[in-house]
Structure formats: structure tokens, C-alpha cells
Amino acid sequence: RARSPHPARAMLSRARLLSTTASALRPRVAAAAPVAAPLQPPLGRRGKTSIKRGDEKIKAQLVKQLQAAVLKGWTPEEVKNHLSMEIGSRGIGVLEEVNSLSLDVEEIFYNSPAGVLYDQALKYEAGTAIVDSGALAVKSGKKTGRSPLDKRVVFEEESADDVWWGKVNMKLDIKSFLTNRERAVDYLNTRERLYIVDGFGGWDEDYRVPVRVITSRAYHALFMQNMLVPPTEKELNECFQSPFVIFNAGVFPCNRQTEGMTSSTSVAVSFKRREMVILGTQYAGEMKKGVFTIMNYLMPLMPKRDLPPADRALPLHASANIGPDNDVSIFFGLSGTGKTTLSADPKRELIGDDEHVWHAKGVFNIEGGCYAKTIGMTREQEPEIYDAIRFGSVLENVVFDEATHKVDYDDVSITENTRVAYPLKFIPNARIP
């Protein structure tokens, strides 16, 4: 390709391409205001996280401003930063990718800050409140725990011999999966707004899996932003390709008459299509365990499936911490047996509380956060976890005083499975790569 004689003009051609592509999509940044001329080089403001359709005026102004940038002699980096400032560096690309999934909604919130998702949840999701610690208290509806009997794996030739079929991994035919997928997409298309979260399953760059969550609830988005490994802007632009997509339409039930369904709830995964569809349950833990299901399938085949088992990766349902001599302790156990509590040791650094991969070079955490049970919690017994319940954390199905918003962790009138999801960085002695 011939190189443009002027670096800013080369960047401008890219900007025009984005603007032309966006014309059919008609996106605009929510609450964006026209930028007064003359423009100054950008100061690095954060890109907007809400993208709307239908404002041609702002796009036209953007193109005009970028044309002016050529005359002002801005560097390509300055032009790129300005584009990011106006519409978000991935805004147009995300819209294109979402449209390719047959989703077409008025507004998209993409990797939004906790404050934005708090605001959305408080506005649109009944039963949501900010409790006295600053955490967001939410309700998951009828389902307050996972539904393992409603989990299905699509039977596909490519993966048939790699799945241990039985009561845990129950088969589903592709026709039923696509029926559920269409039902989920149809429901999501009835929403005025959707929330999209991009992140990774796994901290190790050689093993991690890109994951995209598309959901109708801000609570789900904040939960998964806490639980997935957070990507950098550079990683999103350069490394985030062919993500595993989770369609969370859990507010809407599946059709019981669809072959393979045993209730109004369905959690189904297709490894070939790299997709998961959730219907009939709003419990956020289904997404978390969905990512673990994906990693349980992919990790034993890495780095190469023809290697001996000892040279491949082993996914573990376990917590882990590390001592001052880099000695790693692994705590195995089913959900609710104490993995989170045991690994939160003030004398050792936390690696993770639930899901890990062990390979030839060591152990890495699959998740970017922790998901702890809160029943009977006190600061005296579990200080690290108790103090992590603050702004940015998600409290599920807890009971709190309506006047003071103080949480009663002993109240199990909604469920005994009360939980909190928080990012690893909320634990002071967490070992974060």
C-alpha cells in the first residue's frame, strides 16, 4: 500500500473510513456536545461509554474537525486521541460487531465505569440500592443460585470426543441451540439499551480467552467487569479477536417445548460457534461458571493437544495464594466449602479465590475478581473480604435496613446463597500480574 505523504492525512483517511462505516449504523455518543472551534490538541479525556444511534450532526462535525487537523499539522497520535475522545476508540467497532450478531438497539453501554452502571441499575432495575458500605445491592429474581440441571453443551463433531458426556455435560442439538439463540437475540432487540463487557478469561497472555458479555441488565455488566480479567485499551485494540460471546437474556424464559429443554431455564454453550446463551435465569453466577466451562474445555488442549497430559494445562476449581518464598498453596473444594475464606490469608498474597489453571510454568487465575458468600459475615472473622464490600462491589440478594441501608448478613429470608462480587484489587495483598 502506498504511504501517504502526510502522517495526519493517513490518519484522516482512517477516520473517514470509520465515519462512512458508521453512517449506516447511525451511532452517536450519548450526551455529547458539539466541540467549539478552533480545536486544540486532545488532552486525553476518557472516551464515552454510551453509544447511541441517529446523530449525524456530531459525526459530520467530527469529520470536519479531523480535516482541520490536517491543516493544523497534528500528529497521527493526536488525531487518534481526538477520535477516541469523541466516540471512544472502540465505539464504532463494537457497534459493527454487535450488528453482525443481529442485535439492533438504541443505546449500548460498553465497558462502562462502575458509577455509570450504578446509575443505570438504580434507574431501571427494581430492588436495587446502594448500601451503607457503598456496594450496589441487587436482586437476581426467582433464581438465587445456579441451575446445573438446565445446563447443556451442543453436540458437535469437533468437540464430541473431548467432552465427558453424562449428567453434568448433557447433549443439545444445534437446532435447539439456534432456537434459543434466536429467542435470546429477539428479546435483547426489544430492549432500549444493552450493556456490553469485553474482558479475558485468564491472566496468562499465552492461555487467556477473550470473552464478550451482552446483557440487558447493568447489574450483570458490573458483575462481569469485576469477574473477568480487565483488558487494557491496547489489548482491546490489538489482542481482542474472535471473542467467546455470552448472550445473557436471562430475564426472558426459554420455550419449554424446544427439544432438550426441561424447564423455562436454559444455559447452553456451543464450542464451535464460540457462543453461550442464557435464558430464564438472572443469577449472575451462571456467566461466571459459563466462562469456567469454556476454560475447562479449552485449557486441557493447550498449548497443543498432541502433547502429553503433563505438558498441557489443567483447569482447577480451587483457590490459591502464594507465600513470601513463592510457594503456592491450592485449596480444592466445591462451591461454598471455604475456598475464598481460606485463601484470604493476611500473611500470604491472594492469587484467586475459585478458578485457576495449572500448567508447566506455574499457576494463573482465570478470574479478575472474587465471588464470596456473605452469609453470617463479620469483619472480625473475614476482614479482607468484609472490607472489599465497597463502592464497585455487587451484593446479591442480601437484606438491608430500609432506613439505614445497613446490611444484615445473618438474614437469609431471600436465600442462604447471598454473595458479593468484587475485583481482585479490592484485596490489599492480592498478587495481580
Side-chain angles (χ1 to χ4, degrees), residues 100 112 127 152 162 175 205 226 240 267 279 290 298 320 345 379 404 428:
S100 71
S112 299
R152 301 288 186 273
D162 297 321
K175 182 179 179 181
E205 295 181 2
N226 285 347
F240 200 86
V267 180
L279 289 164
L298 293 175
D345 186 336
R379 194 177 190 283
T404 64

Side-chain angles (χ1 to χ4, degrees), residues 256-277:
R256 293 172 179 264
Q257 304 307 313
T258 301
E259 186 174 355
M261 300 299 102
T262 54
S263 75
S264 60
T265 298
S266 174
V267 180
V269 60
S270 166
F271 294 121
K272 181 179 180 180
R273 293 179 60 88
R274 296 176 68 83
E275 292 179 341
M276 174 171 284
V277 175

Side-chain angles (χ1 to χ4, degrees), residues 217-260:
R217 291 198 62 178
Y219 140 50
H220 290 156
L222 182 56
F223 177 93
M224 287 306 283
Q225 283 189 182
N226 285 347
M227 298 310 300
L228 290 173
V229 175
T232 64
E233 188 71 19
K234 182 178 180 181
E235 288 172 336
L236 286 173
N237 290 325
E238 297 179 2
C239 311
F240 200 86
Q241 299 174 355
S242 302
F244 223 106
V245 180
I246 298 176
F247 295 92
N248 189 338
V251 180
F252 197 63
C254 71
N255 188 333
R256 293 172 179 264
Q257 304 307 313
T258 301
E259 186 174 355

Side-chain angles (χ1 to χ4, degrees), residues 281-298:
T281 174
Q282 299 176 57
Y283 183 66
E286 295 288 7
M287 295 180 289
K288 165 191 157 61
K289 285 302 181 184
V291 174
F292 192 41
T293 297
I294 294 166
M295 297 296 279
N296 267 282
Y297 169 71
L298 293 175

Side-chain angles (χ1 to χ4, degrees), residues 172-227:
L172 184 69
D173 65 58
I174 187 63
K175 182 179 179 181
S176 294
F177 178 83
L178 292 177
T179 297
N180 283 354
R181 183 189 188 278
E182 183 173 359
R183 189 174 178 87
V185 170
D186 286 346
Y187 170 77
L188 293 172
N189 273 330
T190 67
R191 306 297 90 194
E192 292 184 6
R193 62 195 65 82
L194 292 179
Y195 306 90
I196 298 179
V197 176
D198 284 350
F200 292 104
W203 284 89
D204 191 313
E205 295 181 2
D206 295 327
Y207 290 83
R208 66 187 180 186
V209 176
V211 177
R212 168 166 293 168
V213 177
I214 303 175
T215 180
S216 61
R217 291 198 62 178
Y219 140 50
H220 290 156
L222 182 56
F223 177 93
M224 287 306 283
Q225 283 189 182
N226 285 347
M227 298 310 300

Side-chain angles (χ1 to χ4, degrees), residues 15 18 62 66 78-89:
L18 287 172
L62 179 60
L66 292 175
E78 289 172 335
V79 176
K80 179 181 178 181
N81 287 340
H82 181 67
L83 184 65
S84 299
M85 178 179 66
E86 291 299 313
I87 59 176
S89 60

